[in-house]
Amino acid sequence: MKITLSSPNARRAGYTLMMVMLFTGIGMIILTSVMKWTSTNSQLTDRNNQYYTSVSAAEAATEKVLGRITMDYVAGGDQRVTDNFATYSTLVPTSSENPFWGNYRFSNGRGTNDRTYILRMTNTVYKALQAKYAGLNGYASDYRILSNARPVNSLQQVGGAVQQDVQLAGIPIFQFAVFYGMSLEVNPGAPMNILGRVHSNGDIWNGGASDLTYWSGVTAVGTITKTRHPLDPAGVGGQGTVTYIQPDQKKSGAAPLSLPIGSLTNNIHQIIDVPPAGESPTSDLGYQRYYNKADLLISVLDNSVVVAAKDTYANVSNSIPFVQATFMTTNKTFFDQREGKTVKVTEIDVDKLGKWSSSNPTMGVFLKSKFGSSGKELNSIYVSDRRTVTSSELAAVRIINGEKLPTRGLTVATENPLYVLGHFNAPNPGSTNTSSSRPASLVCDALTALSASWNDTNSTASYTNRPAVDTTINAAMLTGIVSTTNSPSRYSGGVQNVARFLEDWSNRTLTYNGSIVVLFDSTKATGSFQQPGRYYSIPNRNFNFDQNFTTQANLPPGTPELRAPYRTDWKNPPINTINYVQTSF
């Protein structure tokens, strides 16, 4: 028998071949798995990318609608938004705007293409505001904007959706302790507390020599700086300490708050001007004019005085003979040493005005049309003194005997400078207690406080011959200033000197409870602020924000509203869902 022995090398070769085949098979399995994983992961990544680009497209659609709503609301209020609902629903990004949008199909979440979903969720009511305006009240309505977007040239066509809730708020301007339409300067020479909200549509410069404390929110469209205005001739300043009791509510770069007539700094003086012939009182600007809001119009001309009663926002008024207007005079003059001019003044006796309005038959007809059978006393007047003046004269308005106001309060508005003589709306002189005060505001080109001891015959003498007495004014003020500039070199006087002085206030106190609003540069009383010791000395300032203004019923007649649209919620709902409520886990 023949026996053949196998070679050890052959056995090893066979074993090696088997192992190679085994590992090759394992490698193929791994490779296949890796390729499959890679493909799946690529698809998932592609789907994820598509989803986020679709969400971005849907957001662009909602932003397009929001931009149009914002424009309409700021210009024309809630009514204009409601009137344009049908237009909003047709607004989607289009390829004519950018070819990129041709890659997407937009829908309103209800199956209708090329449409955006828009819903008014609440009617306009006066309520506490949300988000960045928390702590303020306003006339608010809530809207929902929703869009679906899906790519049209993609294999998977993964769509996305965005839902934005928006609140449109009309904020009464006198809810701010201080509101400036331009840069705000706060440079107190004695410790100063500001107890309510503060906003500037410019910068805020805090450069006082004494301590300043903000007790509520402080916002500025520009910056908030602990120094004086760079154009202030007094220099850097800022030795006092600035304290923010609520530092989380201090914000630079805030959104501007505007009245609906355009640029605050350039156009806003028009709200106190007489409207031009032919302008509708219900136009965007006409709706904001104090002239159109007033119950009583008084126009003083060179050879006549026109007195007329009217309904709010009405074209028709009813003339009242001047001889019946026993509450006013036009024959007094005095000298304003800040202006360096003789003032020809239209003087309104507030006490007589209230009594007159309840007894004059013509006025009574208009009051009843506005207030019903209970209408007895007016609550707003507009005065325009347009007499011819020389370069050394100034036409102005002065109110006297205003310690007690008509039942519904009183707004006195004029395109002229306004002088307030003695207490105004002050049943409790010297007190911060305004519970018995009436809703009131003083609206003018410039405001000067005169104490009850003021005497016209001393107006040309040294200010030391005009000693003041303690005086209280309880009213919002909306007025102008002479801004800080370097050409000519001048300082505005800061917020503490918005109310101007012409007397020796040494050791005397001006108690002011109200809201200080500065929206424009004075166009008539343009004399520059000068430091004390020239035509006046400073009072002890007891300045306070009147908390009454946080309540709707206590807002002064004709209070302007700032328009503030803002987002309250943002979500990614599922596709084709219009009432998505996110569930918390």
Side-chain angles (χ1 to χ4, degrees):
M1 183 176 64
K2 184 178 180 180
I3 299 174
T4 303
L5 299 176
S6 62
S7 169
N9 290 335
R11 289 197 300 271
R12 286 195 295 270
Y15 175 77
T16 300
L17 178 59
M18 291 177 62
M19 294 301 295
V20 168
M21 293 178 65
L22 174 64
F23 281 110
T24 299
I26 293 172
M28 291 298 294
I29 293 171
I30 292 173
L31 178 61
T32 301
S33 298
V34 168
M35 292 179 66
K36 184 176 182 180
W37 176 86
T38 301
S39 176
T40 302
N41 189 62
S42 177
Q43 292 180 31
L44 289 174
T45 300
D46 185 52
R47 288 180 61 86
N48 191 60
N49 289 339
Q50 282 190 28
Y51 171 74
Y52 283 111
T53 56
S54 294
V55 167
S56 296
E59 183 176 26
T62 61
E63 287 293 325
K64 184 174 182 176
V65 174
L66 179 57
R68 176 62 184 274
I69 288 176
T70 297
M71 180 181 69
D72 287 345
Y73 180 66
V74 169
D78 199 61
Q79 185 61 52
R80 182 167 298 178
V81 173
T82 302
D83 291 344
N84 287 332
F85 245 56
T87 299
Y88 302 147
S89 66
T90 66
L91 296 178
V92 297
T94 65
S95 57
S96 62
E97 297 168 337
N98 190 314
F100 174 78
W101 298 124
N103 299 319
Y104 290 90
R105 173 58 57 85
F106 297 93
S107 68
N108 62 1
R110 306 173 79 173
T112 305
N113 290 329
D114 300 322
R115 291 291 185 271
T116 300
Y117 180 78
I118 174 78
L119 171 70
R120 182 174 187 170
M121 297 189 293
T122 64
N123 292 327
T124 303
V125 294
Y126 191 79
K127 63 181 180 180
L129 302 181
Q130 302 177 36
K132 59 185 176 182
Y133 299 116
L136 294 173
N137 297 314
Y139 301 93
S141 54
D142 297 281
Y143 294 81
R144 174 163 292 166
I145 309 168
L146 181 143
S147 177
N148 290 188
R150 189 183 298 275
V152 295
N153 298 318
S154 170
L155 181 63
Q156 301 185 65
Q157 295 189 358
V158 179
V162 167
Q163 172 182 297
Q164 294 200 53
D165 290 346
V166 180
Q167 189 167 87
L168 306 182
I171 304 174
I173 200 168
F174 296 136
Q175 281 197 74
F176 290 86
V178 178
F179 185 98
Y180 265 55
M182 62 268 281
S183 289
L184 163 63
E185 297 167 89
V186 191
N187 303 317
M192 185 174 185
N193 292 280
I194 301 180
L195 302 177
R197 290 283 286 261
V198 175
H199 177 84
S200 166
N201 275 344
D203 302 308
I204 297 180
W205 305 96
N206 300 307
S210 293
D211 295 344
L212 169 64
T213 303
Y214 291 103
W215 288 82
S216 190
V218 180
T219 54
V221 174
T223 60
I224 303 175
T225 308
K226 189 181 179 298
T227 184
R228 295 177 78 98
H229 193 290
L231 302 182
D232 187 341
V236 176
Q239 299 93 335
T241 299
V242 181
T243 302
Y244 299 89
I245 300 299
Q246 300 183 32
D248 59 316
Q249 295 186 23
K250 172 195 173 189
K251 183 179 180 182
S252 300
L257 289 169
S258 304
L259 295 180
I261 66 167
S263 168
L264 283 168
T265 54
N266 295 330
N267 299 328
I268 203 66
H269 196 282
Q270 294 178 79
I271 71 171
I272 70 169
D273 293 339
V274 175
E279 180 186 271
S280 170
T282 56
S283 65
D284 292 344
L285 176 56
Y287 196 77
Q288 302 302 319
R289 290 189 188 272
Y290 274 92
Y291 179 97
N292 294 324
K293 299 177 185 181
D295 299 328
L296 183 69
L297 302 177
I298 300 170
S299 181
V300 181
L301 307 173
D302 286 331
N303 299 310
S304 64
V305 178
V306 179
V307 181
K310 61 177 285 295
D311 282 330
T312 305
Y313 302 117
N315 280 309
V316 178
S317 60
N318 200 337
S319 179
I320 299 172
F322 176 52
V323 68
Q324 295 182 14
T326 54
F327 55 86
M328 64 179 292
T329 61
T330 60
N331 58 359
K332 294 183 179 180
T333 62
F334 62 89
F335 192 72
D336 183 320
Q337 293 198 24
R338 169 169 170 163
E339 295 299 313
K341 295 181 178 181
T342 297
V343 181
K344 300 166 68 172
V345 63
T346 295
E347 188 169 84
I348 307 294
D349 187 313
V350 174
D351 182 61
K352 291 181 179 179
L353 174 67
K355 296 173 181 176
W356 171 87
S357 70
S358 62
S359 60
N360 183 272
T362 303
M363 193 74 237
V365 171
F366 282 86
L367 292 175
K368 287 182 179 180
S369 69
K370 180 176 181 179
F371 299 115
S373 59
S374 62
K376 293 182 179 180
E377 294 179 322
L378 53 69
N379 69 6
S380 56
I381 65 171
Y382 181 90
V383 187
S384 173
D385 191 324
R386 293 195 158 190
R387 286 178 287 185
T388 302
V389 293
T390 67
S391 60
S392 62
E393 295 176 322
L394 180 69
V397 177
R398 181 164 66 183
I399 52 178
I400 64 172
N401 295 330
E403 187 168 342
K404 183 179 179 181
L405 300 187
T407 305
R408 291 187 178 86
L410 183 67
T411 286
V412 179
T414 176
E415 63 181 342
N416 303 99
L418 179 66
Y419 297 81
V420 182
L421 197 160
H423 298 309
F424 184 80
N425 193 25
N428 300 304
S431 174
T432 60
N433 181 356
T434 58
S435 59
S436 299
S437 299
R438 305 293 189 186
S441 60
L442 304 169
V443 181
C444 54
D445 179 75
L447 189 142
T448 301
L450 303 175
S451 79
S453 64
W454 172 269
N455 189 321
D456 290 346
T457 60
N458 294 330
S459 60
T460 58
S462 167
Y463 76 92
T464 56
N465 293 319
R466 299 190 297 274
V469 295
D470 293 347
T471 301
T472 299
I473 297 175
N474 296 333
M477 67 170 77
L478 190 159
T479 189
I481 59 171
V482 181
S483 291
T484 296
T485 66
N486 60 358
S487 182
S489 179
R490 69 189 184 201
Y491 165 49
S492 72
V495 69
Q496 65 276 12
N497 288 300
V498 170
R500 308 178 184 190
F501 306 107
L502 295 173
E503 298 168 273
D504 182 0
W505 285 86
S506 301
N507 300 314
R508 298 299 181 184
T509 298
L510 175 65
T511 299
Y512 174 72
N513 299 301
S515 166
I516 300 175
V517 175
V518 175
L519 299 181
F520 45 76
D521 282 299
S522 302
T523 62
K524 294 179 171 59
T526 57
S528 299
F529 167 82
Q530 298 179 44
Q531 295 295 338
R534 300 183 182 181
Y535 54 84
Y536 78 104
S537 65
I538 60 174
N540 298 318
R541 297 182 179 92
N542 182 17
F543 285 10
N544 304 277
F545 172 59
D546 191 342
Q547 295 291 336
N548 282 331
F549 297 156
T550 63
T551 305
Q552 182 182 12
N554 291 322
L555 287 168
T559 297
E561 294 174 25
L562 302 159
R563 300 281 167 81
Y566 57 94
R567 299 174 184 85
T568 57
D569 200 7
W570 190 102
K571 289 186 174 70
N572 287 132
I575 289 287
N576 297 326
T577 303
I578 62 172
N579 292 306
Y580 176 62
V581 178
Q582 187 169 346
T583 304
S584 299
F585 293 93

